[in-house]
Amino acid sequence: MWKYALSIALVIAGVAILFPRGDQAPKPETVTPAAELKMKQAMLNQDVARTDELCRSQCSLELHRIVQDTQAQTDGKARETLQATQAAHPHMERLVRTKRDQTLDQGIAAGTLNEAAAKASQPYLEEAKRQVDNGKTYQSPPFQADGSTYFVLGVPGADGASGIVGTVRQQILAQVADHQKKNLRIEPYPAQGRYKIESVDSKSLQNVQVRHPEDNQGTSHYHTNQVVVKFKQPPSDNDLVRIRQEIGGGHVHKLGYTYVFESPGMEAKQLMGYFGKWNIDYAEPHFLYLTNDIAPVLHPNSATVITPNDSLYRRYQWNLPQIETEAGWNVSKGSTDVIVGVVDTGIDGNHADLKGHLMAGYNAIQPGARPADDVGHGTHVAGVIGAIVNNNLGVAGMSWYNRVLPVKVLDSSGAGSTYAVARGIIWATDNGAKVINMSLGNYADAQFLHDAIKYAYDRDVVLIAASGNDNTERPGYPAAYPEVLGVAAVDARKQKAAFSNYGDYVGVAAPGVNIASTYPNNQYAALSGTSMASPHVTALAALIRSVNPALKNTEVVRIIKETAMDLGPPGKDKYFGYGLIDVVAALKAADPKTSGQAAGAPTGTAPAPKPGWPDWMQRWFR
């Protein structure tokens, strides 16, 4: 239904489980911390179980492929095929092509197992060999070895005389569990990695002891001995020498009139007090941000729905049909001209289901280095947007053609500073991004970050961000900035996720529970969080700009809101915003051929560049 249009910190990406439209479930305000923690733990268990299914399905499909490839190959060529497969999928630790008249030890093999895994897998390998020789497929139950989970599978060849037996290490299950404990706030914010941090109330900056996940609500984290300062006029070299002397030395990072000062002897509050005597716009803590997962087939009764042939799509990707993506593809599948920036932990540039759509990108943590993903979060987000569609492999992204620009602003702990996030947003803007996804957040309204947001917004970029995963009404940033479209999450029943943040700043909702997508090392994982909901909306914005490039960012956002499917209380509400995004309705409204609107005709008020915008923003990376 149509609706009326509505108008540096640590980022935490989040996920949400929606509650029923009929108020049959308790409202978020009535859920106790213990009950919320129990629901989040249940969702983590679901993500791990679904990831186990994805891993087993993917490995089985790969073995079916290589058993066909190696059936007629010479021993030497078959060995090369196995080695190439094992190198591309290192979790498949050992692969063996076996023949009926051979023992496993006599087969052609690639990869090795450690002693504990070899011993624990032996009975399952023997059973796999027996089943394959009888022309049957086999999958073992999970077993433990050397602190890791493994399983064995076997796939027979069509000739009945050969087959492939493999041993798979499922380290991904532990990775997903660890990732989701942080992403869903099941554990208190971990003071890990290279940051020396403190937790504070985002409004008062009073210290907060975070001993329980519930304590994360409204809590932000910052470098204890750093401060961000924006000067009204550039300080001279002599001024900088004097400042460093008076604060006791330390590193200084410059960005236009804005500096990050570090002191070995003064803490953030002392530094903020010290800079009060200088001619500044503001001095604020240097906050951190965290992460908040054959030809096309036409349905027999509908010529308007496209079902891709990606191997994991039909069984696991409930999310795309829910928001009418398949029907929307008849209006637009995207365009290579519309670039999508993913400001996150980086992206695995070698993933077979992504690399055809990825650009070179940027690493704001370590400039000059590749924006590689050492967490998995950014790779998962990127897959929701742009996993290659209709390639008989893995999952399908929402866009068939839009290019994805990786921007790494969060490090291996899943955290990144205000400086890194702001730098990444501005770099993406200056390097062609028309839409930017930010599956990260914090509760601190950092002016430094807001400056970067406004820089992108005033240059006609559509900005999308996750609302957060603490089930709180406390505004999270950047999602709560007026220039940003904040996204809540729903589950397969269109109910609110138990952990999804809410509030008047929420613009729309999107799927965010047990979302199957790409994961590093050619793997696939199911993750939950508003981090997973946000890229659905980002991809829709990219599709809209593809079908009608003349639309301004404000017009894109207006269309997304006005075409959303109403959920919860009638009209806009704080849990779902304007409702669940509707891909086909939005694209038809944007398409000049179906909307009755000429391409480029104004449909709203576009942002005008601010005449007094600081020169340093305009000169950024130019």
Side-chain angles (χ1 to χ4, degrees):
M1 64 179 283
W2 290 86
K3 302 181 180 179
Y4 295 99
L6 179 65
S7 36
I8 266 193
L10 185 75
V11 175
I12 301 173
V15 181
I17 300 176
L18 302 180
F19 58 82
R21 177 174 180 142
D23 291 334
Q24 297 166 358
K27 291 186 176 181
E29 298 91 333
T30 66
V31 177
T32 66
E36 181 183 336
L37 190 59
K38 186 176 180 180
M39 286 187 284
K40 288 182 176 182
Q41 184 62 53
M43 181 139 321
L44 181 151
N45 294 340
Q46 292 173 17
D47 285 345
V48 172
R50 183 60 56 85
T51 300
D52 173 53
E53 291 182 34
L54 289 166
C55 178
R56 287 173 174 265
S57 295
Q58 178 218 11
C59 291
S60 178
L61 290 166
E62 282 296 319
L63 262 62
H64 275 88
R65 178 185 62 81
I66 61 174
V67 78
Q68 293 179 1
D69 291 347
T70 59
Q71 205 164 258
Q73 290 178 346
T74 64
D75 288 353
K77 185 62 177 177
R79 180 174 287 104
E80 291 178 7
T81 299
L82 293 180
Q83 290 173 340
T85 302
Q86 200 274 327
H89 304 274
H91 52 293
M92 300 182 189
E93 291 200 337
R94 184 166 173 80
L95 299 173
V96 181
R97 188 188 76 166
T98 179
K99 295 183 178 180
R100 183 174 294 169
D101 58 354
Q102 293 178 329
T103 65
L104 273 178
D105 290 339
Q106 294 172 325
I108 297 169
T112 59
L113 297 173
N114 63 43
E115 184 177 351
K119 182 177 180 181
S121 65
Q122 191 58 39
Y124 302 111
L125 289 169
E126 291 173 358
E127 179 62 18
K129 166 66 173 169
R130 189 177 72 81
Q131 294 289 349
V132 166
D133 285 348
N134 289 326
K136 298 178 181 179
T137 59
Y138 171 79
Q139 284 194 22
S140 77
F143 60 91
Q144 301 295 312
D146 200 25
S148 295
T149 301
Y150 289 82
F151 75 94
V152 169
L153 72 168
V155 174
D159 60 3
S162 64
I164 302 290
V165 172
T167 306
V168 180
R169 183 186 182 207
Q170 291 186 292
Q171 186 64 22
I172 190 174
L173 302 183
Q175 292 169 342
V176 166
D178 181 65
H179 182 151
Q180 291 299 80
K181 285 179 183 177
K182 302 168 190 173
N183 193 41
L184 297 179
R185 297 320 220 214
I186 292 173
E187 63 182 23
Y189 175 75
Q192 61 171 299
R194 62 186 179 85
Y195 301 110
K196 179 185 179 184
I197 63 170
E198 292 289 349
S199 302
V200 294
D201 181 89
S202 302
K203 293 183 178 178
S204 66
L205 295 185
Q206 295 297 311
N207 287 336
V208 174
Q209 293 296 318
V210 179
R211 298 189 179 93
H212 185 276
E214 189 72 10
D215 298 331
N216 283 306
Q217 294 188 15
T219 301
S220 295
H221 315 280
Y222 68 98
H223 295 266
T224 56
N225 61 342
Q226 293 183 6
V227 68
V228 176
V229 181
K230 184 178 179 183
F231 293 91
K232 293 183 177 178
Q233 297 294 331
S236 66
D237 290 342
N238 289 335
D239 289 336
L240 292 174
V241 170
R242 176 187 166 192
I243 289 170
R244 292 195 64 188
Q245 289 176 341
E246 292 179 353
I247 67 174
H251 297 290
V252 178
H253 299 284
K254 178 179 181 295
L255 190 58
Y257 294 171
T258 307
Y259 291 76
V260 178
F261 291 97
E262 180 177 319
S263 169
M266 297 172 68
E267 295 193 351
K269 293 177 184 177
Q270 294 173 287
L271 288 167
M272 290 166 65
Y274 164 79
F275 280 102
K277 68 182 180 181
W278 292 85
N279 185 25
I280 63 173
D281 280 335
Y282 59 79
E284 62 186 14
H286 193 198
F287 291 103
L288 294 173
Y289 289 81
L290 293 177
T291 59
N292 271 351
D293 157 77
I294 310 167
V297 179
L298 294 180
H299 285 258
N301 297 322
S302 175
T304 63
V305 174
I306 297 174
T307 301
N309 64 19
D310 301 79
S311 56
L312 301 175
Y313 179 81
R314 293 196 182 196
R315 183 172 180 181
Y316 297 108
Q317 289 192 263
W318 63 269
N319 46 314
L320 300 196
Q322 184 192 67
I323 56 176
E324 302 293 341
T325 306
E326 295 172 328
W329 282 332
N330 281 291
V331 183
S332 175
K333 295 184 178 73
S335 167
T336 57
D337 294 333
V338 178
I339 297 171
V340 181
V342 174
V343 176
D344 212 289
T345 61
I347 301 175
D348 180 0
N350 293 317
H351 200 294
D353 221 358
L354 285 173
K355 60 184 180 182
H357 285 174
L358 298 181
M359 302 175 70
Y362 175 68
N363 188 328
I365 301 292
Q366 188 179 353
R370 294 185 303 108
D373 186 3
D374 42 16
V375 176
H377 188 269
T379 299
H380 195 276
V381 167
V384 174
I385 298 168
I388 299 172
V389 185
N390 222 48
N391 63 344
N392 278 300
L393 176 67
V395 297
M398 284 182 62
S399 166
W400 294 49
Y401 303 121
N402 293 91
R403 291 179 293 165
V404 175
L405 184 65
V407 183
K408 184 176 178 64
V409 300
L410 308 178
D411 67 10
S412 59
S413 70
S417 68
T418 313
Y419 180 88
V421 176
R423 190 176 191 179
I425 291 168
I426 297 173
W427 186 92
T429 300
D430 286 348
N431 284 271
K434 299 299 183 183
V435 185
I436 292 178
N437 186 82
M438 297 170 288
S439 288
L440 43 79
N442 195 314
Y443 295 103
D445 181 3
Q447 295 181 65
F448 189 19
L449 178 61
H450 200 182
D451 281 347
I453 291 292
K454 288 186 283 190
Y455 178 89
Y457 179 80
D458 289 340
R459 282 151 182 78
D460 198 35
V461 177
V462 179
L463 298 154
I464 314 291
S467 64
N469 299 331
D470 289 317
N471 187 36
T472 178
E473 195 170 2
R474 187 76 173 268
Y477 300 93
Y481 289 129
E483 299 85 2
V484 178
L485 182 57
V487 182
V490 301
D491 64 11
R493 296 179 297 162
K494 300 182 182 179
Q495 296 178 339
K496 177 189 175 297
F499 42 85
S500 185
N501 287 1
Y502 54 96
D504 292 340
Y505 68 93
V506 171
V508 290
V513 174
N514 304 144
I515 303 301
S517 187
T518 46
Y519 212 66
N521 294 317
N522 284 318
Q523 298 182 90
Y524 298 87
L527 299 181
S528 298
T530 54
S531 284
M532 284 66 250
S534 181
H536 289 83
V537 183
T538 297
L540 174 55
L543 291 172
I544 290 172
R545 299 204 105 164
S546 298
V547 78
N548 192 344
L551 292 173
K552 303 298 183 183
N553 56 359
T554 50
E555 296 169 330
V556 173
V557 171
R558 180 183 64 80
I559 289 172
I560 292 173
K561 291 177 178 178
E562 288 184 346
T563 56
M565 296 176 272
D566 191 24
L567 296 178
K572 183 180 185 294
D573 61 76
K574 62 183 180 181
Y575 304 114
F576 306 96
Y578 284 91
L580 180 66
I581 60 171
D582 186 327
V583 175
V584 67
L587 293 178
K588 286 181 178 179
D591 187 359
K593 298 191 295 293
T594 56
S595 67
Q597 173 193 309
T603 61
T605 303
K610 298 184 178 181
W613 194 260
D615 290 342
W616 69 269
M617 284 285 192
Q618 299 178 33
R619 294 195 303 265
W620 183 276
F621 288 132
R622 295 193 188 282

